[in-house]
Structure formats: structure tokens, C-alpha cells
């Protein structure tokens, strides 16, 4: 899936996610950034994405109700900054795809011709 102008059509999505904000990684083992695959060590600041999907069988619905929990995804600070910046612009970024490629796609397909020296300001970067 590529970058799109909105996330309105969630009805056809295989899963959903909710941003839980930046916090230190509170797991006993490291996790990988879902986008760039950088190893995040316990205590590293990252963006937590809680995920779920609808039940596929009657049994799942009996056990979980309307939301079947899925594994949480994490984004490193750099990828999360790009993700949140694209979201703030009203674009639907995919957390499991390369943020660098999605940023390049934004500059290629969505950005107006920039003034010399202009770049999208990424959250968290100085």
C-alpha cells in the first residue's frame, strides 16, 4: 500500500491501530522498529502502536468480543517523527512500510514545488 490522501476507508482494513504516544520501551527484550528494522533496546524512546482486528470466527468473537488483539508495533523516534508529520498533513502513512520511501513519495507526489532549501519539518528533529 502506498501513501494516500486519507484514512477514511477503514472498513476494508485487515487490522487497525491506535497511537499510544512516545514512551520508553518497557519490554524485557528489545524490539525492532516496524519501519526501518532498527533494534530498539529496553528503555529507548519509541512510538507504541496498539493493534487489533475484527473477529473472523464465532469462537474468536466469543473469546475476544469485537476486537481481537494483535501484537503491538513500535516505531523508532526518527520513523515516528516522519509518520506523525505525514499524518498531521492529512496523509495516510503505513507504519509497516519504509518511512523514508513514504517521505520520498510525499515530496515527489504531494508537495508543492518547494522554495530553495525547503524540506518537510519532521517531528522531533531540530
Amino acid at each position: 500500500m502506498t501513501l494516500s490522501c486519507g484514512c477514511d476507508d477503514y472498513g476494508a482494513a485487515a487490522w487497525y491501530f491506535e497511537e499510544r504516544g512516545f514512551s520508553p520501551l518497557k519490554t524485557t527484550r528489545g524490539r525492532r522498529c516496524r519501519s526501518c528494522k532498527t533494534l530498539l533496546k529496553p528503555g529507548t524512546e519509541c512510538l507504541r502502536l496498539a493493534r487489533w482486528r475484527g473477529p473472523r470466527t464465532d469462537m474468536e468473537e466469543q473469546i475476544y468480543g469485537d476486537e481481537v488483539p494483535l501484537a503491538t508495533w513500535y516505531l523508532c523516534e526518527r520513523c515516528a517523527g516522519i509518520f506523525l508529520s505525514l499524518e498531521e498533513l492529512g496523509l495516510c502513512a503505513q507504519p509497516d512500510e519504509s518511512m523514508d520511501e513514504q517521505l520520498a513519495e510525499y515530496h515527489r507526489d504531494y508537495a508543492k514545488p518547494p522554495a530553495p532549501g525547503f524540506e518537510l519539518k519532521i517531528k522531533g528533529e531540530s
Side-chain angles (χ1 to χ4, degrees):
M1 199 175 215
T2 61
L3 198 57
S4 64
C5 290
C7 297
D8 296 333
D9 187 22
Y10 282 124
W15 51 268
Y16 310 89
F17 68 91
E18 177 182 0
E19 299 162 26
R20 295 288 168 97
F22 280 95
S23 62
L25 183 62
K26 296 176 184 170
T27 59
T28 55
R29 296 183 338 190
R31 298 288 188 263
R32 295 251 175 221
C33 172
R34 188 64 190 185
S35 177
C36 70
K37 311 300 185 226
T38 300
L39 180 62
L40 302 170
K41 295 180 180 176
T44 304
E45 284 289 317
C46 59
L47 180 66
R48 183 173 169 248
L49 301 173
R51 300 184 319 128
W52 69 94
R53 65 169 171 80
R56 294 183 181 149
T57 64
D58 291 338
M59 183 62 72
E60 279 187 347
E61 190 168 5
Q62 287 177 2
I63 295 170
Y64 298 109
D66 292 338
E67 297 179 349
V68 178
L70 298 174
T72 300
W73 284 352
Y74 300 91
L75 292 177
C76 66
E77 282 188 282
R78 183 178 177 287
C79 291
I82 295 170
F83 176 76
L84 294 173
S85 295
L86 291 171
E87 244 189 10
E88 194 172 285
L89 290 170
L91 298 171
C92 188
Q94 301 301 314
D96 58 334
E97 294 182 13
S98 169
M99 287 299 136
D100 289 329
E101 289 176 13
Q102 291 183 76
L103 182 59
E105 182 179 340
Y106 164 76
H107 284 293
R108 183 184 69 239
D109 298 341
Y110 295 95
K112 295 178 183 175
F118 172 82
E119 287 185 23
L120 176 65
K121 182 165 174 67
I122 306 299
K123 291 189 177 297
E125 288 185 3
S126 300

